[in-house]
Amino acid sequence: MKKILVAGAGGFIGGHLVKALINKGNRVRAVDIKPLNEWYQVSDEADNLILDLRLRENCLQAVNGLNEVFNLAADMGGMGFIENNKAACMISVLINTHLLLASKECGVERFFYSSSACVYNGDKQTDPENPGLKESDAYPALAEDGYGWEKLFSERMCRHFSEDFGLTTRVARFHNVYGPHGTFDGGREKAPAAICRKVIKSGITGNKEIEIWGDGRQTRSFMFIDDCIKGIIDIMYSGINEPINLGSSEMVSINELVSIVEDIAGDKLDRIYDLNAPKGVRGRNSDNTLIRKYLGWEPSIPLRTGLKYTYDWIREQVVRESDSSGKVSRYNK
């Protein structure tokens, strides 16, 4: 049994990770800045603390007496958030810096950092037919402004704490994680959840239009949460010293993503394209050569399968909300 900190435990991925680590017999301290009633999932078996980890003294409190740290804490969201909150995204550098310092002081044995595909050179993401981003494509550096630069800098911090102080660090570059118990409205949601919500609400309101950011031809890959959690744990306890991709290699366009969700819903909507909305790079996909080499595994839950689980969960939340507001939903007629 290990004593483990999950930073960012009130978030989407963090909540799932806490449950997985507890199920493996570990003692988990779960920390987030949000009030407990705003956490996406709360595990009663964990030691749940509300702390601002941008402050060094709070990091020392969070880490003290523990063996390992999983740092998933960051101020982030989908493209609409990170394009309009670059300073807030950059300030997250304080979290990782102070957690690393606290880990060094408290004798932590292993440290996991959740990085992002936003670290990759933008010039390698101009083609919707992106063949897949290799780990080496992060350099020469031209990361996503704000969020991507913070992630790339924090990756380097992990590397140097390993080299200079002997702290075992692991870094995974996440590619678009989605699934149940995640953000689906409010401005921080990512494309799969946003599209599910829009399609579901069209069924409730009868409005047969869906707004798509950009021209819909931009491409991405999307990793289901179960694959993500397995990858985090496998990478943490591997011998992989360099940053590594953790993402699906099943690339789709946003238009194709909308079509899959429409098919799940049994609906068809008129598409309205907002060419002025935040849309990110033209093409991004995960090259999984290294993770297959090191672990003999890669994220593999098909997009349609994961979207069905996600759609059903979001529909349940939206229908409950619409019922409580007095609206009539076609899903419970």
Side-chain angles (χ1 to χ4, degrees), residues 20 50 69 74 78 87 94 102 111 161 198 224 228 248-249 309 317 328:
I50 300 166
V69 171
L94 295 175
F111 186 102
F161 267 70
K198 290 177 181 181
F224 190 61
C228 180
S248 170
S249 57
Y309 290 129
Q317 315 311 307
V328 177

Side-chain angles (χ1 to χ4, degrees), residues 152-333:
L152 194 61
F153 176 85
S154 292
E155 285 188 6
R156 303 289 290 196
M157 286 284 287
C158 288
R159 170 181 163 181
H160 297 314
F161 267 70
S162 262
E163 293 169 341
D164 294 357
F165 307 120
L167 174 62
T168 297
T169 63
R170 300 289 180 257
V171 174
R173 292 173 178 163
F174 293 0
H175 288 249
N176 289 313
V177 187
Y178 73 99
H181 299 284
T183 305
F184 62 90
D185 61 6
R188 291 180 184 254
E189 68 277 16
K190 295 188 178 181
I195 290 168
C196 286
R197 185 200 73 240
K198 290 177 181 181
V199 172
I200 291 162
K201 287 200 169 183
S202 78
I204 294 173
T205 64
N207 180 0
K208 292 298 181 180
E209 293 182 346
I210 183 169
E211 181 184 83
I212 298 172
W213 289 3
D215 60 11
R217 293 195 290 271
Q218 62 269 39
T219 54
R220 298 289 187 276
S221 62
F222 301 97
M223 172 175 51
F224 190 61
I225 184 63
D226 291 3
D227 272 337
C228 180
I229 296 303
K230 174 175 171 52
I232 290 171
I233 293 171
D234 285 358
I235 291 167
M236 177 61 145
Y237 301 113
S238 73
I240 304 170
N241 292 313
E242 68 266 37
I244 190 166
N245 281 333
L246 181 55
S248 170
S249 57
E250 182 186 357
M251 188 174 71
V252 295
S253 69
I254 300 302
N255 280 328
E256 289 169 331
L257 185 65
V258 172
S259 294
I260 295 170
V261 177
E262 286 177 329
D263 192 44
I264 290 169
D267 216 342
K268 191 71 176 175
L269 306 178
D270 296 326
R271 302 180 184 191
I272 308 300
Y273 295 96
D274 183 354
L275 301 181
N276 296 315
K279 44 194 171 285
V281 297
R282 288 297 286 167
R284 177 179 291 159
N285 193 22
S286 180
D287 183 316
N288 288 342
T289 302
L290 272 187
I291 194 169
R292 288 196 304 269
K293 172 186 173 184
Y294 286 132
L295 299 179
W297 171 88
E298 65 178 313
S300 60
I301 295 172
L303 180 59
R304 183 183 179 87
T305 301
L307 277 176
K308 179 64 167 63
Y309 290 129
T310 307
Y311 178 91
D312 288 346
W313 182 82
I314 294 175
R315 182 178 67 177
E316 182 181 334
Q317 315 311 307
V318 172
V319 168
R320 183 184 300 125
E321 180 184 289
S322 67
D323 288 347
S324 65
S325 66
K327 297 177 183 177
V328 177
S329 166
R330 68 173 184 168
Y331 295 111
N332 58 2
K333 289 180 181 177

Side-chain angles (χ1 to χ4, degrees), residues 7-8 30-35 39 49-62 73-75 88 91-96 98-99:
V31 176
D32 204 281
I33 192 173
K34 296 186 293 292
W39 291 25
L49 299 179
I50 300 166
L51 295 171
D52 182 351
L53 295 176
R54 292 171 297 188
L55 304 177
R56 185 175 178 184
E57 60 268 28
N58 288 345
C59 289
L60 284 166
Q61 179 184 343
D75 197 357
I91 289 171
S92 293
V93 74
L94 295 175
I95 300 172
N96 198 59
H98 290 147
L99 279 176

